[in-house]
Amino acid sequence: MLIALIARDKAGALQTRLDNRAAHLAYIDDTGVVAQAGPLLDGDAMIGSLVILDVDDLAAAEAWAANDPYALAGLFDSVELIPWKRVIG
């Protein structure tokens, strides 16, 4: 099942994002459930994340999101997990 994780950073939290980026990218590699991912942008500034998870169920997506180093560092103001259907690509 594909789940779109849409997370918005807290205002002024760019340094938190930068400080935890390597751990976040390692988590993506280690878990093996990320189909696509990248930062949300405001101009050139990173302001959030879009992650497409390929997991068994919503509970697995919730667990993945809760253990993301960005989430553990308190980066996000909000996180949405939405079932998603790939149509193109």
Side-chain angles (χ1 to χ4, degrees):
M1 135 178 256
L2 296 174
I3 303 285
L5 181 156
I6 301 170
R8 306 264 180 192
D9 294 358
K10 292 178 180 173
L14 179 59
Q15 193 59 52
T16 301
R17 174 176 280 277
L18 296 175
D19 291 347
N20 291 279
R21 187 169 172 81
H24 168 73
L25 294 175
Y27 181 65
I28 287 174
D29 285 340
D30 292 346
T31 57
V33 298
V34 175
Q36 297 181 26
L40 300 175
L41 302 174
D42 183 5
D44 290 333
M46 294 180 284
I47 60 164
S49 297
L50 170 62
V51 180
I52 305 298
L53 300 168
D54 189 351
V55 292
D56 291 334
D57 52 33
L58 187 57
E62 290 168 345
W64 190 95
N67 290 294
D68 178 358
Y70 279 167
L72 295 173
L75 173 63
F76 299 132
D77 184 47
S78 66
V79 175
E80 290 182 85
L81 294 168
I82 305 165
W84 182 70
K85 179 180 178 181
R86 178 180 297 154
V87 174
I88 298 172

